[in-house]
Amino acid sequence: MDINEAMKRETSMAGYEGEPPTGDENVEVVQRSGLFGKVLLVERESVESVHMSMRSCASYRSNISKISSAKRGEDEGLDANIAPPQHAPWQNIAAIMVSEVVGAGVLTLSQKYAELGWIIPSIAIIAIFFLVVYTSSMMVEVRKVFPGIVCLSDGADYTYGKWARIAVQTFVILYLVCTLGDYLLLVGKSLGSTAYNVHLCYPIWSLIGAAVLVPIVQLRYLNATTFLCAMNMVSIIVVIALVIAGLATKGRAADVESPLIAEGLDFMQFMQSLSAIFFTFGGQFMFYELMSEMKDFTEFPKTFRIAGPFQVPIYLLVGCVGYYFKGTEASGYFLDNLGFGPLYRTASALLCFHMMVAFLILGNVLSRMIHVWVSPRYVNDLGWRGKLEWFGCTTSVVVLSFVIANAIPFFEELTSLVGGLLVPSLNLIFPILFYVKTLRMVEKKISWWQWVIYVTLVAFGVLVTVVSTIENFRAIAKNMSTYGKPFSCHCTDIWNTCDCSESRMEFSGFNCTVS
């Protein structure tokens, strides 16, 4: 296989390139990994053909774009079902978004208020939400010009070409890998917290979590997606409610301090805290896949009418409640605001369930990408070879997640690192760059004030990426010197002992100063 043929197999949800059924050399059939285990066959005009046509006539628009779901079965090859997957109204897509947006990142928000005060994080949450709405509308406009786009890397391919596609694929894969490591970190932490009287070191708990996940992630097709999403959303809401109930029961101590703007706040700390808030909005890399499921993808911006009123208030509620009751001492892991006891044990068990389901859904995406890239012909094969290959892909994802979860075993810092290093590019920089290039390709004039907005937002994204990443690595190094190196025991806030969890023990009514 030469390099050009190998490049066709690259994936941010890409893989097989087949002969078009029409016999037209300007039409290609590409394989993409869709949502919840779907494998999509996309019949579209090739990138090269579209570019050539647009160079001849800037107003040219391809009308060749057909998406179908590949069949499942033993050795069925790459046949497609007749019915296309584009059937979902925008309300259904909004429901999926709602179930996915409230996850691990929300657990860090009370600490971001402790680091920044009342005003700055509240403004940041609202502002970043509207930035996501703004850039998602850009993504829709780009897809109107290039209807063959099914994933973010397709947008890069149609606008900037092969090397841009590879760069975007790399960012998406890094985001998925690091986020899954973050999820497994929480699985291990929540398992240990559920059984806090069983004194096993954190690497052991994360290994147990990984072992439990291996059989779970063998589910290749998540047919009961509505049920899974609903259960996942309910579980995290109940966790948040339990923590809030525990805080309200204890009440606000008289010495709690919660200034409007944090005292001594510097630029580096601001950027690090902002990166964690960015992480809570990290699902934008999947927006093109969501559009591919819709009856009319131009209605995608309407999804925020439902997602926004749900997402933003929950984020504000978690941050503000934690900050009100704990002030500048609010924990970066929301459950750490509870003492040891039945409430903490219940919340930890529910969080463990939530993170396992979240790992299953996101891990399925990454495993499918790997499978499409490595062995595209057997992606949907339900025979022994297809099952064995799927086991290899999913197990590799779990093992890699385990390594990341123990290499950076600090939830707040790993979350902030992902949010600062990768999310600004996926949410801001890439959509804006694709949109600007599309406008130039269709020869639509960009006014000076639009240039100011686009350049400012891209520069802001770059600034957050660089500065927050530097500060997050500093924080990780500091924690390693305090709590131990990667794969060390790390019993902090997991064991019910004064040596490992002094503040929580005292919060639970124990006096750790008495020998």
Side-chain angles (χ1 to χ4, degrees):
M1 181 186 297
D2 61 24
I3 185 66
N4 291 327
E5 184 179 352
M7 291 305 301
K8 287 184 177 181
R9 288 194 172 188
E10 286 180 314
T11 175
S12 163
M13 314 188 181
Y16 172 80
E17 300 279 343
E19 292 296 327
T22 61
D24 187 345
E25 63 181 8
N26 293 325
V27 178
E28 62 183 3
V29 178
V30 296
Q31 192 174 2
R32 294 292 184 264
S33 174
L35 295 175
F36 308 123
K38 290 182 181 178
V39 177
L40 306 178
L41 297 183
V42 185
E43 183 182 343
R44 67 187 188 183
E45 187 173 359
S46 67
V47 174
E48 294 78 9
S49 177
V50 171
H51 286 178
M52 187 178 300
S53 298
M54 293 187 72
R55 282 194 290 269
S56 301
C57 178
S59 61
Y60 174 80
R61 300 292 182 272
S62 174
N63 59 3
I64 305 173
S65 181
K66 177 184 176 183
I67 303 175
S68 54
S69 299
K71 290 181 180 178
R72 308 172 195 168
E74 295 190 15
D75 302 319
E76 83 290 346
L78 292 170
D79 295 331
N81 292 329
I82 297 174
Q86 300 109 307
H87 63 276
W90 67 266
Q91 293 90 343
N92 289 11
I93 296 299
I96 294 174
M97 291 174 61
V98 165
S99 67
E100 289 297 299
V101 294
V102 181
V106 71
L107 302 176
T108 67
L109 290 177
S110 61
Q111 186 190 51
K112 302 311 120 183
Y113 274 78
E115 294 169 350
L116 301 174
W118 286 106
I119 297 176
I120 296 176
S122 298
I123 293 174
I125 289 171
I126 296 171
I128 294 175
F129 169 75
F130 281 107
L131 282 177
V132 169
V133 175
Y134 180 53
T135 54
S136 68
S137 66
M138 291 181 173
M139 295 173 70
V140 170
E141 294 302 315
V142 172
R143 196 170 191 264
K144 288 180 182 178
V145 177
F146 306 109
I149 294 176
V150 180
C151 58
L152 195 62
S153 64
D154 283 342
D157 200 6
Y158 274 103
T159 51
Y160 290 95
K162 179 183 71 176
W163 294 109
R165 182 183 78 238
I166 295 172
V168 173
Q169 287 170 353
T170 302
F171 266 82
V172 171
I173 292 171
L174 281 175
Y175 172 79
L176 289 171
V177 168
C178 293
T179 301
L180 287 169
D182 201 32
Y183 287 0
L184 185 54
L185 192 161
L186 271 187
V187 168
K189 186 176 177 70
S190 57
L191 275 175
S193 300
T194 302
Y196 54 76
N197 54 324
V198 179
H199 296 169
L200 299 177
C201 293
Y202 163 73
I204 302 299
W205 282 120
S206 62
L207 182 61
I208 293 172
V212 172
L213 281 168
V214 168
I216 293 174
V217 296
Q218 299 314 308
L219 293 172
R220 293 169 71 178
Y221 306 103
L222 308 181
N223 295 321
T225 51
T226 302
F227 176 75
L228 277 176
C229 291
M231 289 296 294
N232 218 30
M233 180 174 63
V234 169
S235 63
I236 191 66
I237 289 176
V238 172
V239 168
I240 292 170
L242 289 175
V243 178
I244 291 176
L247 288 171
T249 301
K250 284 284 186 178
R252 176 184 164 102
D255 59 346
V256 168
E257 297 181 358
S258 52
L260 289 176
I261 298 178
E263 299 177 1
L265 178 64
D266 59 29
F267 180 70
M268 299 295 284
Q269 179 61 65
F270 167 73
M271 283 295 179
Q272 184 194 22
S273 300
L274 193 63
S275 65
I277 298 175
F278 260 106
F279 181 87
T280 62
F281 294 91
Q284 192 163 346
F285 80 99
M286 287 289 288
F287 281 2
Y288 276 132
E289 283 83 358
L290 291 171
M291 292 181 203
S292 299
E293 297 285 326
M294 297 180 68
K295 289 180 180 178
D296 181 3
F297 74 89
T298 62
E299 292 187 328
F300 183 79
K302 293 182 180 179
T303 60
F304 295 102
R305 298 177 186 177
I306 296 175
F310 182 86
Q311 180 181 17
V312 173
I314 284 187
Y315 288 0
L316 293 173
L317 177 68
V318 171
C320 290
V321 170
Y323 187 49
Y324 172 78
F325 284 106
K326 303 292 286 187
T328 54
E329 300 301 317
S331 173
Y333 175 56
F334 199 45
L335 274 67
D336 281 345
N337 293 312
L338 293 176
F340 289 114
L343 201 63
Y344 177 62
R345 198 187 295 273
T346 303
S348 296
L350 285 171
L351 180 62
C352 184
F353 168 81
H354 173 83
M355 298 316 305
M356 283 189 171
V357 174
F359 191 101
L360 169 64
I361 293 173
L362 201 63
N364 187 281
V365 174
L366 181 57
S367 299
R368 183 71 64 182
M369 290 168 60
I370 296 171
H371 202 180
V372 168
W373 180 51
V374 173
S375 183
R377 185 167 185 82
Y378 291 91
V379 168
N380 266 359
D381 177 27
L382 298 182
W384 68 268
R385 175 166 177 171
K387 291 179 180 178
L388 187 61
E389 290 179 351
W390 180 250
F391 178 81
C393 293
T394 55
T395 304
S396 299
V397 168
V398 172
V399 170
L400 185 57
S401 302
F402 173 78
V403 172
I404 292 173
N406 285 275
I408 308 177
F410 313 110
F411 170 63
E412 304 94 301
E413 285 70 25
L414 179 55
T415 301
S416 296
L417 180 63
V418 177
L421 179 62
L422 301 169
V423 176
S425 294
L426 298 174
N427 282 20
L428 280 179
I429 299 174
F430 293 156
I432 292 173
L433 292 180
F434 300 167
Y435 180 67
V436 169
K437 183 61 182 294
T438 301
L439 291 179
R440 293 175 66 84
M441 292 174 74
V442 300
E443 297 182 355
K444 184 174 181 179
K445 184 178 179 181
I446 304 175
S447 61
W448 67 268
W449 60 268
Q450 289 176 304
W451 275 116
V452 171
I453 294 174
Y454 302 152
V455 171
T456 300
L457 290 177
V458 170
F460 172 68
V462 172
L463 184 65
V464 172
T465 300
V466 174
V467 177
S468 68
T469 300
I470 293 172
E471 191 64 16
N472 281 317
F473 273 118
R474 286 179 180 172
I476 291 169
K478 181 179 178 181
N479 276 358
M480 286 182 180
S481 64
T482 303
Y483 300 109
K485 296 180 179 179
F487 292 91
S488 298
C489 188
H490 296 290
C491 64
T492 305
D493 287 323
I494 297 179
W495 296 2
N496 59 339
T497 65
C498 289
D499 289 337
C500 293
S501 311
E502 181 176 352
S503 60
R504 173 169 281 147
M505 291 293 289
E506 293 181 348
F507 189 66
S508 304
F510 293 91
N511 187 354
C512 289
T513 60
V514 178
S515 57

